[in-house]
Amino acid sequence: MAAVAVATRGWRLLLVLSTAGVAAAGARQPPNILLLLMDDMGWGDLGVYGEPSRETPNLDRMAAEGMLFPNFYSANPLCSPSRAALLTGRLPIRNGFYTTNAHARNAYTPQEVVGGIPDSEFLLPELLREAGYTSKIVGKWHLGHRPQFHPLKHGFDEWFGSPNCHFGPFDNRAKPNIPVYRDWEMVGRFYEEFPINLKTGEANLTQIYLQEALDFIRRQQARQRPFFLYWAIDATHAPVYASRPFLGTSQRGRYGDAVREVDDSVGRILRLLRDLSLAENTFVFFTSDNGAALVSAPEQGGCWSLSSWLPSEWAQTTHTSESTVWPPAEQKGLPWSGSLQAGGSNGPFLCGKQTTFEGGMRVPAIAWWPGHVPAGQVSHQLGSIMDLFSTSLSLAGLKVPHDRTVDGLNLLPAILQGQLVDRPIFYYRGNTLMALTLGLYKAHFWTWTNSWEEFKQGIDFCPGQNVSGVTTHTQEEHTKLPLIFHLGRDPGERYPLSFGSAEYQDVLGRITPAVQQHQEALIPGQPQLNVCNQAVMNWAPPGCEKLGKCLRPPESVPEKCSWPH
Amino acid sequence: MAAVAVATRGWRLLLVLSTAGVAAAGARQPPNILLLLMDDMGWGDLGVYGEPSRETPNLDRMAAEGMLFPNFYSANPLCSPSRAALLTGRLPIRNGFYTTNAHARNAYTPQEVVGGIPDSEFLLPELLREAGYTSKIVGKWHLGHRPQFHPLKHGFDEWFGSPNCHFGPFDNRAKPNIPVYRDWEMVGRFYEEFPINLKTGEANLTQIYLQEALDFIRRQQARQRPFFLYWAIDATHAPVYASRPFLGTSQRGRYGDAVREVDDSVGRILRLLRDLSLAENTFVFFTSDNGAALVSAPEQGGCWSLSSWLPSEWAQTTHTSESTVWPPAEQKGLPWSGSLQAGGSNGPFLCGKQTTFEGGMRVPAIAWWPGHVPAGQVSHQLGSIMDLFSTSLSLAGLKVPHDRTVDGLNLLPAILQGQLVDRPIFYYRGNTLMALTLGLYKAHFWTWTNSWEEFKQGIDFCPGQNVSGVTTHTQEEHTKLPLIFHLGRDPGERYPLSFGSAEYQDVLGRITPAVQQHQEALIPGQPQLNVCNQAVMNWAPPGCEKLGKCLRPPESVPEKCSWPH
């Protein structure tokens, strides 16, 4: 395996050098690239996307000065696969970020997972290096936390952030707390050196991540070298947090406080670019890894396996309406399973994170590049987070690797010339193609929100939304006669086209060959999210000795990861 | 009754003269007032409110040049009462636009209704006349169609439009087709001289209404007299229509075609104001009479009583997915009750027209007055369609009548100085106070969407949305312990506050006196929407003789109107 990886790497270098374009020829310094990736932020969370409290003036201004994409999609309804897809330009089914442990299951990289980003994948920063870029990741990596998956082994030159989610654990007992790295070494752990107050929601992490970004931009400007900054912050992922000046300032509660701080930070970053006269030479793109988490249950989407480690204060914070309710729910017939979690909005779309409905995968997206991207534009291009890979390479004057399928599209013709390219959007769970969007039509081949067992426990990924036959709690197959929606007339996926209509037949006739072509050419990657092992957790990350923070790992017991939805 | 009305009128004249302000004193001509009232257009139908296909560039520009109200409400979830409230500044429970025939029922003015706007009500154009305004209504009146309710008897100087909805009938048989008036006389009928093609959706009515508006503005500019134009168009009310150049141009289907034509027309009106140098002296306000109709059933909201008159081509147009579905719905368990109607979007809000959830009453609202209203502003003032009454009077230098309760607020401090005034929003059905919003909190005293009987027939005002204990199909009383939502954290009304929480108790302590104060001071008007009679229909409107279009009325048989929801 290692030998193969080395061989691939050598060949890759040749490939990239041979395809280097204008920029590498030294004619002109290519633009800096700044990807602002939000965590669980929904399509409907920005004022410019219709959020009623209108608390995102900086992002709304970014849209007014740039280009808004109303039809932009993540590559998966869950974080790790979506992020792997962004950095590789390839669907999770190709780059290995999926599971085959059960049918149509979402999977990610909790710290017990053994897998991570394969060496055989080309990551964006590795490729950009060939065009002279210096790359930094600030925030959540989520492509594997074992040594071979470290971001600095995959093309980044700098890292400040965490390998896994910040949602827990909190006490280093059953699992180690998640480490925070500066480059190769951990510099502390969440809930220890990097506190997040679960009662008040206070944490200054976004401010730290902001300073990391501003500092990096300033340093690169001084060096006069092109940079790639991947700002992957997580304040809007549960448990959502904000620093003290923002706490309690939003009409939307704690989630809104987090959004306000994110918005303010984006404003500061764009302002610095202007102040340093970098704005016209920096391509900035804002988006989110998946739709907003609409979980109405005590536990959070994606964090379901961690409930046994939840400390008592976390339970108190989030379970209030269950534990203190009066009179008891049963007496009133009221929706007490629907207690409010701090989560975002998917606007008019159905369901949220974890699902392959529009609310799970349609995300906010704004391109900003003063002097290049015309102001105040809206592009109806169907876009994907994977396009950021191909678009960034194009900006750098590089070509995409031609030895493999790349799903990402170069968006520059859409952004700079207003061109529209017909392309499909694929919605996967695990290795199951759940749905496909082609133009304005979306076909569901499988529907599933989550199991009846989970749903009856109160875990609901579509709270307040129930479309009979669509938001199903058994895995319903529709491969022969897909449920087809017209997303223009019916963005909320409420009214499937009639099977007998001419419109249905016409659409089916176009969708069928698109699916066949995709599936015939598909070479699935080795699934990375099948095996879990308590021994691989962050017990003793590099640097732990200096801090006296090394923990003792348990015995190695590989087992199949459990992915319940 | 007639004597009382005369006495009231005489007294009113004195009142208005005595309260005339700056404008009437002749110091300076007050601004023109232009109210653009849409029909069944939802909060989420404009790009600036997050509509994904972004097809309202003119309205989005109007918002960018003016002030957007995300928290603006109609006075009722149905058209007639909302319009009566707009023109009187008073809740329907005060001005008589409600029914007591059954508990908590919506009612409006189909042509069999006997009632209409009482003479004792002061209408906005009557009052504006005292400040020298010339007033015109273009489009739907809906405040009663019998002679005493004619808009020219209630202050308007000109009228082009219809007294009732355009949805039917279509054949003059069981009921006469709805007449179209120019001033005192009918000039034709819908589906005859004013065709609406139910198969294609083609009608040039919006173009006619647009020309009426442009012509009126030009004439008033030439006269150098202030004007009030009430542009109450109905292209977005079912059956939605558009003229040929707009048909088939929207991503959203026929409803979108109608919206695009409306948007284009608003753009033309604002452009004329600029071209005539009237923009800085014309206050323009855009809003809608109630939320979008989300009906998934064959029949349309508000038109439920007319099904027996639906012609076969209308049934074919709208029932396709029921009649030609293959395989039969029963075999698939699919949501065939949810066949798509051409309706709008309420964005993130719950349910739609006919309901007292946010989707039924929160509506788009934009103020535009170049040189006065600062550009690109968002006001979080809780606003009401009734405020347009008080605001218009203030613009004209007039005071609101002080012999009666006026619910409308003068919005000028909010619009011109950014002030915020604490005020309640009341949500009624009939004479039942269903809900109240105070600040960010909304309390439901009664919940009801529609009856189980209707719901089982497929009539669903909340398709795809079901919040247990909230979207109820029995009339549920919560007056002792209202269901309370925080509309900032939870605009979709999905997670009621826990009864036992300190927050609930605190809010209840503020809501209870507000309701008591409202109810103790309330003097309900005589209900106008209780009695129906086939003989009062538009059989022989004035002018019918000239056209040879008089029909013979049946015998007069007064009966209780039936208001099923």
Side-chain angles (χ1 to χ4, degrees):
Chain A
M1 179 93 179
V4 173
V6 169
T8 311
R9 286 191 164 255
W11 183 83
R12 174 179 4 176
L13 187 64
L14 290 174
L15 168 80
V16 171
L17 286 176
S18 68
T19 59
V22 181
R28 191 168 168 270
Q29 184 165 309
N32 308 307
I33 298 164
L34 177 41
L35 301 185
L36 308 169
L37 184 71
M38 302 300 111
D39 206 334
D40 290 1
M41 184 180 275
W43 192 95
D45 276 327
L46 276 58
V48 68
Y49 282 102
E51 200 289 311
S53 63
R54 304 261 153 183
E55 293 178 345
T56 55
N58 292 290
L59 287 162
D60 297 353
R61 193 177 313 120
M62 183 182 176
E65 295 170 358
M67 182 176 271
L68 189 79
F69 290 83
N71 310 314
F72 199 87
Y73 291 87
S74 78
N76 195 268
L78 208 58
C79 33
S80 295
S82 181
R83 288 157 194 261
L86 186 162
L87 290 174
T88 61
R90 283 149 57 79
L91 283 166
I93 186 69
R94 300 191 210 276
N95 66 32
F97 265 66
Y98 68 99
T99 184
T100 54
N101 283 1
H103 186 258
R105 297 303 159 109
N106 295 319
Y108 70 114
T109 54
Q111 57 171 337
E112 60 267 44
V113 86
V114 170
I117 189 72
D119 272 346
S120 54
E121 289 297 318
F122 295 161
L123 263 66
L124 179 58
E126 294 178 87
L127 301 176
L128 289 176
R129 184 175 284 167
E130 311 304 330
Y133 280 73
T134 302
S135 298
K136 176 162 190 159
I137 165 173
V138 175
K140 189 161 105 179
W141 168 237
H142 233 216
L143 265 57
H145 58 282
R146 295 173 65 211
Q148 64 269 41
F149 307 128
H150 192 288
L152 271 57
K153 287 203 176 138
H154 290 269
F156 283 103
D157 299 293
E158 300 183 17
W159 181 26
F160 183 86
S162 62
N164 315 83
C165 262
H166 68 273
F167 50 65
F170 315 98
D171 57 6
N172 274 329
R173 261 174 269 161
K175 294 186 178 189
N177 288 353
I178 302 298
V180 175
Y181 279 75
R182 176 171 298 286
D183 301 329
W184 290 106
E185 296 188 348
M186 83 175 248
V187 289
R189 293 185 193 263
F190 285 139
Y191 303 98
E192 299 176 54
E193 292 76 11
F194 297 93
I196 302 170
N197 187 317
L198 292 171
K199 272 201 174 140
T200 64
E202 182 179 348
N204 65 350
L205 284 166
T206 300
Q207 291 304 312
I208 295 173
Y209 295 145
L210 171 62
Q211 289 311 317
E212 288 291 323
L214 299 178
D215 168 69
F216 178 72
I217 292 168
R218 282 194 200 97
R219 281 191 283 116
Q220 298 315 308
Q221 196 252 0
R223 290 178 64 213
Q224 299 199 306
R225 293 283 297 280
F227 67 79
F228 166 48
L229 174 57
Y230 175 47
W231 197 60
I233 62 170
D234 59 3
T236 49
H237 188 294
V240 302
Y241 61 78
S243 64
R244 195 170 295 182
F246 292 92
L247 277 179
T249 63
S250 167
Q251 290 187 11
R252 305 178 68 196
R254 195 173 295 175
Y255 183 87
D257 297 341
V259 171
R260 281 177 57 100
E261 185 164 17
V262 166
D263 177 75
D264 182 78
S265 299
V266 171
R268 284 171 197 266
I269 290 170
L270 299 187
R271 207 172 314 136
L272 179 68
L273 292 177
R274 288 202 188 275
D275 290 349
L276 297 181
S277 302
L278 287 176
E280 299 211 345
N281 202 33
T282 304
F283 176 85
V284 187
F285 203 95
F286 176 94
T287 189
S288 178
D289 63 344
N290 46 246
L294 302 184
V295 189
S296 64
E299 300 163 62
Q300 296 296 334
C303 315
W304 41 264
S305 62
L306 298 169
S307 60
S308 51
W309 291 278
L310 290 175
S312 56
E313 77 262 42
W314 167 241
Q316 278 167 16
T317 309
T318 59
H319 294 195
T320 311
S321 61
E322 259 92 37
S323 55
T324 63
V325 57
W326 179 89
E330 308 77 55
Q331 293 181 18
K332 294 287 295 179
L334 287 176
W336 297 116
S337 65
S339 62
L340 180 58
Q341 296 291 324
S345 164
N346 295 314
F349 301 116
L350 188 63
C351 304
K353 178 179 176 179
Q354 299 277 8
T355 79
T356 47
F357 301 109
E358 290 299 282
M361 289 187 49
R362 207 191 288 216
V363 288
I366 306 169
W368 186 89
W369 190 13
H372 302 270
V373 176
Q377 299 298 300
V378 172
S379 172
H380 286 294
Q381 175 66 50
L382 288 190
S384 162
I385 206 166
M386 298 181 289
D387 300 346
L388 301 176
F389 175 87
S390 304
T391 304
S392 296
L393 291 181
S394 177
L395 285 165
L398 300 170
K399 287 206 168 69
V400 298
H402 55 62
D403 67 327
R404 60 195 65 202
T405 301
V406 170
D407 299 283
L409 192 72
N410 175 11
L411 286 179
L412 291 184
I415 294 173
L416 302 179
Q417 286 107 40
Q419 291 179 22
L420 292 180
V421 178
D422 209 19
R423 69 92 69 88
I425 297 289
F426 296 102
Y427 307 67
Y428 270 89
R429 276 190 191 223
N431 59 352
T432 303
L433 180 62
M434 302 288 289
L436 166 81
T437 286
L438 208 59
L440 284 167
Y441 291 96
K442 180 174 179 181
H444 290 269
F445 309 111
W446 287 87
T447 50
W448 196 40
T449 59
N450 61 347
S451 68
W452 277 116
E453 292 67 34
E454 283 191 324
F455 184 67
K456 283 175 185 163
Q457 288 164 29
I459 301 174
D460 185 358
F461 296 139
C462 314
Q465 297 180 308
N466 171 39
V467 183
S468 171
V470 179
T471 54
T472 62
H473 295 288
T474 48
Q475 295 192 352
E476 300 274 342
E477 185 169 7
H478 314 276
T479 50
K480 293 281 193 307
L481 281 175
L483 295 187
I484 300 180
F485 295 93
H486 186 290
L487 294 179
R489 298 197 299 267
D490 178 24
E493 294 168 283
R494 285 172 174 79
Y495 313 94
L497 301 190
S498 163
F499 292 144
S501 66
E503 186 180 16
Y504 183 93
Q505 294 303 328
D506 174 58
V507 177
L508 189 63
R510 285 183 286 132
I511 280 175
T512 305
V515 172
Q516 277 174 349
Q517 193 186 343
H518 169 71
Q519 290 183 326
E520 279 166 14
L522 181 68
I523 304 171
Q526 190 74 22
Q528 297 295 315
L529 309 178
N530 280 350
V531 184
C532 285
N533 188 340
Q534 299 270 327
V536 306
M537 294 185 180
N538 298 290
W539 301 105
C544 68
E545 308 83 356
K546 293 183 199 163
L547 301 170
K549 292 218 148 247
C550 301
L551 301 170
R552 191 190 159 91
E555 197 186 348
S556 172
V557 184
E559 47 191 4
K560 267 176 90 169
C561 306
S562 164
W563 305 112
H565 41 243
Chain B
M1 181 93 175
V4 173
V6 169
T8 311
R9 287 190 163 255
W11 182 82
R12 174 178 3 175
L13 188 65
L14 290 173
L15 167 80
V16 172
L17 286 176
S18 68
T19 59
V22 181
R28 191 169 168 271
Q29 184 166 308
N32 308 307
I33 297 164
L34 177 42
L35 301 184
L36 307 170
L37 184 71
M38 301 302 109
D39 205 334
D40 291 0
M41 185 180 274
W43 193 96
D45 275 328
L46 277 56
V48 68
Y49 282 101
E51 199 289 311
S53 63
R54 304 261 154 183
E55 294 177 346
T56 55
N58 292 289
L59 287 162
D60 298 352
R61 192 177 313 120
M62 182 182 176
E65 295 170 359
M67 180 175 271
L68 189 79
F69 290 84
N71 310 313
F72 199 87
Y73 291 87
S74 78
N76 195 269
L78 209 56
C79 33
S80 295
S82 180
R83 288 156 194 261
L86 186 163
L87 290 174
T88 61
R90 286 151 54 81
L91 283 166
I93 185 70
R94 301 191 210 276
N95 66 33
F97 265 67
Y98 69 99
T99 183
T100 54
N101 283 2
H103 186 258
R105 298 303 160 110
N106 296 318
Y108 70 113
T109 53
Q111 58 171 335
E112 60 266 46
V113 86
V114 171
I117 189 72
D119 272 347
S120 53
E121 290 295 318
F122 296 160
L123 264 65
L124 179 58
E126 293 178 88
L127 301 176
L128 289 176
R129 183 175 284 166
E130 310 303 332
Y133 281 72
T134 302
S135 297
K136 175 162 190 158
I137 165 173
V138 175
K140 190 161 105 179
W141 168 236
H142 233 213
L143 265 58
H145 58 282
R146 297 171 65 210
Q148 64 267 42
F149 307 127
H150 193 287
L152 272 56
K153 285 200 176 142
H154 291 269
F156 284 103
D157 300 291
E158 300 182 16
W159 180 26
F160 182 87
S162 63
N164 314 85
C165 263
H166 69 273
F167 51 65
F170 315 96
D171 58 4
N172 273 329
R173 260 174 271 161
K175 296 185 176 188
N177 289 351
I178 302 298
V180 174
Y181 278 77
R182 174 170 300 287
D183 301 330
W184 291 106
E185 296 188 346
M186 83 175 247
V187 289
R189 294 185 193 264
F190 285 138
Y191 303 97
E192 299 175 53
E193 292 74 13
F194 297 91
I196 303 172
N197 187 318
L198 292 172
K199 271 202 175 138
T200 65
E202 182 178 349
N204 64 351
L205 284 165
T206 300
Q207 293 304 313
I208 296 174
Y209 294 145
L210 170 63
Q211 290 310 317
E212 288 291 323
L214 299 177
D215 169 71
F216 178 72
I217 292 167
R218 283 195 199 96
R219 280 190 285 117
Q220 299 315 308
Q221 195 250 4
R223 289 179 64 213
Q224 299 198 308
R225 293 283 297 279
F227 67 78
F228 167 49
L229 173 58
Y230 176 46
W231 197 61
I233 62 170
D234 58 3
T236 50
H237 188 294
V240 300
Y241 60 77
S243 64
R244 194 169 299 180
F246 292 91
L247 277 179
T249 63
S250 167
Q251 291 188 9
R252 305 179 66 196
R254 194 172 293 176
Y255 182 87
D257 297 342
V259 171
R260 281 177 58 99
E261 184 163 19
V262 167
D263 177 75
D264 181 79
S265 299
V266 171
R268 286 171 196 265
I269 290 171
L270 299 188
R271 205 171 317 139
L272 179 68
L273 292 177
R274 289 204 188 272
D275 289 349
L276 297 180
S277 302
L278 287 176
E280 299 211 345
N281 202 34
T282 304
F283 175 87
V284 186
F285 203 95
F286 176 94
T287 190
S288 178
D289 64 344
N290 45 246
L294 302 184
V295 188
S296 65
E299 299 162 62
Q300 296 296 335
C303 314
W304 40 265
S305 62
L306 299 169
S307 59
S308 50
W309 290 279
L310 289 176
S312 54
E313 76 261 43
W314 167 242
Q316 280 166 14
T317 308
T318 61
H319 294 195
T320 310
S321 62
E322 260 90 40
S323 54
T324 64
V325 59
W326 179 88
E330 309 78 54
Q331 293 181 16
K332 297 285 297 179
L334 288 174
W336 298 115
S337 67
S339 63
L340 178 59
Q341 296 291 324
S345 165
N346 294 314
F349 301 118
L350 188 63
C351 305
K353 178 179 177 179
Q354 298 278 9
T355 79
T356 47
F357 301 109
E358 290 299 282
M361 288 185 51
R362 208 192 286 218
V363 287
I366 305 168
W368 185 89
W369 190 13
H372 302 270
V373 176
Q377 299 297 301
V378 172
S379 173
H380 286 294
Q381 175 66 48
L382 287 190
S384 162
I385 206 163
M386 298 181 290
D387 300 345
L388 300 177
F389 176 86
S390 303
T391 304
S392 296
L393 291 180
S394 177
L395 285 165
L398 300 170
K399 287 207 168 66
V400 297
H402 56 62
D403 68 327
R404 62 195 64 202
T405 301
V406 170
D407 299 282
L409 192 72
N410 176 9
L411 286 179
L412 290 185
I415 293 174
L416 302 178
Q417 288 108 38
Q419 291 178 23
L420 292 179
V421 178
D422 209 20
R423 68 92 71 88
I425 297 291
F426 297 101
Y427 307 67
Y428 272 89
R429 275 188 192 225
N431 59 351
T432 303
L433 180 62
M434 302 288 289
L436 167 80
T437 286
L438 209 60
L440 284 167
Y441 291 96
K442 179 173 180 182
H444 289 269
F445 309 112
W446 288 87
T447 50
W448 196 41
T449 57
N450 62 346
S451 68
W452 277 117
E453 292 67 33
E454 283 191 324
F455 185 66
K456 283 175 184 163
Q457 289 165 30
I459 301 173
D460 185 358
F461 296 141
C462 314
Q465 297 179 308
N466 170 38
V467 183
S468 171
V470 179
T471 53
T472 63
H473 295 288
T474 50
Q475 294 192 353
E476 299 276 342
E477 184 170 6
H478 314 276
T479 52
K480 293 283 192 306
L481 280 175
L483 295 188
I484 300 181
F485 295 92
H486 186 290
L487 293 180
R489 298 197 298 265
D490 178 25
E493 295 169 281
R494 284 173 174 78
Y495 312 93
L497 301 190
S498 163
F499 292 144
S501 66
E503 186 181 15
Y504 183 94
Q505 294 303 329
D506 174 58
V507 178
L508 190 63
R510 287 183 286 131
I511 280 174
T512 305
V515 172
Q516 277 175 350
Q517 192 186 344
H518 169 72
Q519 290 184 327
E520 279 165 13
L522 181 69
I523 304 168
Q526 190 75 22
Q528 296 296 313
L529 309 178
N530 281 350
V531 183
C532 285
N533 189 338
Q534 301 269 327
V536 306
M537 295 185 179
N538 297 292
W539 302 104
C544 70
E545 309 83 358
K546 294 183 197 163
L547 300 170
K549 292 219 146 245
C550 302
L551 301 169
R552 190 190 159 91
E555 198 186 346
S556 173
V557 184
E559 48 191 5
K560 266 176 92 168
C561 306
S562 164
W563 304 112
H565 41 242

